[in-house]
Amino acid sequence: MNKKYTYVWVSLIVLIFGIIVVPRIVERLSSGSVVENDRLNVSGEKSSDKLGYILLDGKRRKVPAFEFINQDSVVVSDEDYLGKVYVVDFFFTRCPSICPVMTTNLVDVQKYFKEADDFAIASFSITPEFDTPQVLRNYKEKYQIQDKNWNLMTGDHDDIYELANAGFNIFAAEMPDVPGGFEHSGLFALVDKEGYLRSRIDDFGNPIVYYRGAILEEKGVNDHGETEEIGILKIDIQKLLEE
């Protein structure tokens, strides 16, 4: 082939790579949505077979320190969860929409891992002014929460919102115009025994980061066509328990 045309083709390939691939890499790096499996998975094994570490600024993202009061007026901190695999959610007892579904799903997960002493759940109320320990105890009884490692927590308003929005990047905000007066995502975060945020990797090497908690497993798909993720959450909890 004529060298002139060879150079043209090479230049064209480089240009296409720069237009399509590089921006995607930059976007993932800038958003922090890169997992360690992206760098370490060189064995030919599918990246989705293992859970990745969520990275932020090149470092494994860890649950920030927290300390709140649970339904029994006992102080609970992040250190109490070390050595346990646990699921995190943000809710409020008067929630008229997604919280009942989220709690129902977590009760199902609780039953599924009832024999696992190293599994736990951490639920944080985004209306701590109303959700006192007594209110949380009533909520616990209503949903037949039995796991001793499941804490329903309340405390300082600003600290809880800081933990939700900055610590976990799980949206929570006061919005008077929505049902219940508060808006929050129905997402669950998964944490390993060392306190690191973990996630399964999709077929494209990207972390799903969080798990949809507001769709019943038995329902399968919601009205928006989104698939439930409680089934895969159970699988991924088991993977972490076996690490």
Side-chain angles (χ1 to χ4, degrees), residues 86 176 205:
Y86 64 103

Side-chain angles (χ1 to χ4, degrees), residues 17-31:
F17 180 88
I19 292 175
I20 297 177
V21 178
V22 172
R24 293 180 181 177
I25 296 174
V26 172
E27 180 181 0
R28 292 182 62 203
L29 288 172
S30 62
S31 64

Side-chain angles (χ1 to χ4, degrees), residues 6 53 64 73 116 142 145 154 169 224 238 243:
T6 299
Y53 290 89
S73 298
K142 176 182 178 180
I145 295 172
T154 186
N169 281 342
H224 303 290
Q238 187 61 47
E243 281 191 350

Side-chain angles (χ1 to χ4, degrees), residues 69-74 76 132-138 140 145 147-148 150-154:
I69 298 173
N70 73 1
Q71 68 277 358
D72 298 316
S73 298
V74 175
V76 177
T132 63
Q134 180 61 58
V135 171
L136 294 177
R137 277 199 301 276
N138 295 340
K140 176 181 176 179
I145 295 172
D147 195 327
K148 66 181 185 301
W150 185 346
N151 292 290
L152 307 171
M153 287 174 272
T154 186

